[in-house]
Amino acid sequence: MPPCGLCYSAGKEPEKMSKTQSLSFARVPHPSPTPAGKRAELLKNPGFGRVFSDHMVTIRYSDSQGWHDAKIEPRAPIPMDPAAAVLHYAQEIFEGLKAYRTADGKGATLFRPVENARRFQQSAERLAMPALPEKAFLDACDLLVNTDRDWIPGGDGSLYLRPFMFANEVFLGVKPSSDYLFIVIASSVGAYFKTDAPAVSVWVSTEYTRAAPGGTGAAKCGGNYASSLLAQAEATKHGCDQVVFLDAKEQRWVEELGGMNVFFIFDDGSLATPQLGGTILPGVTRSSLITLARDKGIKVREERYSIDQWRADAASGKLIETFACGTAAVVTPVGRVTDPVKGEFIIGSGGPGQLTQKLRQKLVAIQRGEGADPHGWVMRLG
Ligand code: COI
């Protein structure tokens, strides 16, 4: 098994972050890794989230021992007690980040993994969970990518890392768990959306909301996604690819899609995206695009935008493009919006717009280590 380029043995994390002073990873190599031929077959057209690499990283936490028992081992089902707290009260958080193969085919990159590590800590705080030290998060990702590097698809594909943590105490009382299991798995992926259409369609949910003030909307916790599923199923039933949620208070302001942030592009060349403030996930792709656009001198407003204004601006031609963005979705043009009450409207030509394409290209080039990286976002591995 290759060494972990970031592994450390003398952690100096703040007291509140970890009770362990050091964390080194035990290595249990897979006794029968997937044969190269079978892996190549799987990587030809992996889709999203169905093809998994051979290993996983696990770290345990208990109130008495702090972070401990870190290892990389063969990916396998995890034994769980049926009374494990997460199965009852959903105390769970996760992250999503991608590893890319460099152009020469030999190296690998991660895009802004520190941002994911920090958001993971913020999600943990909101869900009353212990904060995994940033370095342990980065080491875990680095170690898994280094070990399963052959699972990074070539071409447009990437290795999607899914770090997650859940409450593992065997107890039915409602309180923060005393035990947690942190795991990172890796999935070879292509495009998130299955559609061949040049742009996706979205369904405005007028019945359900995603997040309310004071809730968990800004945290990346499984519960937010669970509660979006009924609205997402409704979207699918109506022939749409994604659901778009409005704010919970007034049912008026566009907030977020089921699993991604949203941007609007106007005929004066400016961009807008809903402002953060507790109900919207602070996306790493969202913040990267804001920075890249501002670098180019493009005006970006983080402000409220209503569903009625969206419709009116699309009709008048003031709004020329809309796109969804996230780690999984990257930058995906939105071509059609369907509102169950007021009917549908088309954005621009209904296909990908020019600025959307440009921003996507710029971002992807940086992520793959092919374009200039003025902000130092790319972490090269190995
Ligand atoms: C991601 O973009 O990484 C997410 O977690 C969103 C989900 C729809 C896959």
Side-chain angles (χ1 to χ4, degrees), residues 48 94-97 160 162 192 220 225 259-260 326-329:
F48 184 88
F94 71 97
E95 270 303 321
L97 67 162
Y160 183 82
R162 172 51 64 87
Y192 180 74
K220 204 158 174 69
Y225 295 76
M260 44 212 77
T327 299

Side-chain angles (χ1 to χ4, degrees), residues 24-367:
S24 56
F25 291 80
R27 290 147 197 264
V28 186
H30 204 298
S32 51
T34 309
K38 183 168 178 208
R39 188 177 58 235
E41 200 51 43
L42 289 167
L43 295 195
K44 270 187 195 156
N45 188 12
F48 184 88
R50 294 196 186 277
V51 173
F52 296 97
S53 74
D54 284 326
H55 294 86
M56 64 183 185
V57 171
T58 58
I59 308 175
R60 289 181 184 274
Y61 177 92
S62 67
D63 280 351
S64 54
Q65 286 176 275
W67 298 102
H68 65 283
D69 199 13
K71 50 177 168 258
I72 182 157
E73 58 193 312
R75 199 185 79 86
I78 40 178
M80 276 180 84
D81 192 290
V86 67
L87 299 177
H88 304 273
Y89 309 123
Q91 199 189 6
E92 187 267 357
I93 56 171
F94 71 97
E95 270 303 321
L97 67 162
K98 283 175 171 171
Y100 306 86
R101 193 178 281 283
T102 51
D104 62 9
K106 292 180 195 149
T109 60
L110 283 176
F111 183 69
R112 307 189 74 182
V114 173
E115 297 305 313
N116 296 92
R118 290 183 182 156
R119 188 172 62 185
F120 198 66
Q121 292 183 339
Q122 285 155 14
S123 299
E125 187 180 359
R126 179 62 186 83
L127 273 282
M129 299 166 101
L132 179 71
E134 200 174 293
K135 186 149 176 23
F137 181 100
L138 296 174
D139 282 353
C141 294
D142 174 74
L143 183 54
L144 186 58
V145 175
N146 264 318
T147 304
D148 283 346
R149 194 177 280 218
D150 291 342
W151 286 89
I152 308 177
D156 290 343
S158 55
L159 188 65
Y160 183 82
L161 304 184
R162 172 51 64 87
F164 62 107
M165 174 163 71
F166 61 86
N168 209 18
E169 183 178 355
V170 179
F171 180 53
L172 295 183
V174 181
K175 68 157 189 75
S177 174
S178 61
D179 295 78
Y180 297 89
L181 182 54
F182 168 78
I183 304 182
V184 192
I185 53 173
S187 175
S188 311
V189 300
Y192 180 74
F193 288 103
K194 280 195 208 110
T195 176
D196 287 333
V200 297
S201 52
V202 295
W203 167 261
V204 182
S205 182
T206 48
E207 198 170 342
Y208 306 106
T209 55
R210 177 186 172 276
T216 56
K220 204 158 174 69
C221 60
N224 288 344
Y225 295 76
S227 65
S228 78
L229 296 178
L230 189 55
Q232 177 59 44
E234 203 174 65
T236 308
K237 196 172 91 191
H238 289 89
C240 295
D241 300 296
Q242 261 289 317
V243 55
V244 50
F245 287 109
L246 304 177
D247 75 290
K249 243 188 190 167
E250 297 181 62
Q251 282 277 288
R252 180 175 171 207
W253 308 104
V254 179
E255 293 225 311
E256 194 172 331
L257 307 192
M260 44 212 77
N261 295 118
V262 61
F263 277 78
F264 308 98
I265 303 180
F266 298 90
D267 60 352
D268 64 357
S270 67
L271 248 71
T273 190
Q275 72 211 38
L276 303 178
T279 58
I280 293 175
L281 188 81
V284 177
T285 310
R286 176 189 180 280
S287 99
S288 306
L289 289 168
I290 291 175
T291 302
L292 290 179
R294 287 185 177 149
D295 284 354
K296 279 176 155 284
I298 296 170
K299 221 183 213 169
V300 186
R301 295 180 299 280
E302 295 180 69
E303 64 183 16
R304 299 198 299 187
Y305 191 54
S306 74
I307 176 69
D308 289 340
Q309 199 63 50
W310 191 9
R311 172 188 296 278
D313 288 347
S316 71
K318 186 175 172 201
L319 175 99
I320 52 175
E321 302 177 36
T322 297
F323 65 83
C325 68
T327 299
V330 194
V331 171
T332 302
V334 175
R336 177 167 56 90
V337 183
T338 302
D339 180 317
V341 183
K342 296 186 180 163
E344 78 172 37
F345 59 96
I346 303 294
I347 314 283
S349 63
Q354 266 184 14
L355 187 51
T356 299
Q357 303 269 64
K358 273 195 192 146
L359 285 168
R360 181 187 165 99
Q361 280 159 11
K362 179 97 187 145
L363 178 71
V364 169
I366 298 174
Q367 289 174 329

